[in-house]
Amino acid sequence: MYLSEGIFLEIPEGSSAGDLPACLGFEPEKVAMYFIGEARVEFDHPLTEGDVVKMFPPITGG
């Protein structure tokens, strides 16, 4: 998985979007939404080679 300019992350085959926080060293509860490309996906969405994944934290305010 490509993280940024020249940085890649290898993840186990069969991983889902919801597995990424642990691979990156933080809790899954810190992610409210996952996107692959421009499409919103659920945490159990399977990842494939070349996916561009975006993770967004919960938003609070008022």
Side-chain angles (χ1 to χ4, degrees), residues 1-56:
M1 170 184 290
Y2 174 76
L3 292 177
S4 68
E5 190 65 37
I7 300 173
F8 291 83
L9 172 69
E10 265 193 60
I11 58 172
E13 189 171 328
S15 293
S16 66
D19 295 326
L20 289 178
C23 291
L24 294 168
F26 62 94
E27 299 85 23
E29 297 80 26
K30 302 240 180 205
V31 180
M33 293 184 290
Y34 296 89
F35 285 80
I36 294 181
E38 300 300 320
R40 184 173 179 185
V41 298
E42 297 298 322
F43 72 95
D44 59 349
H45 184 87
L47 298 175
T48 58
E49 189 169 335
D51 282 346
V52 175
V53 181
K54 300 171 195 154
M55 297 180 282
F56 292 88

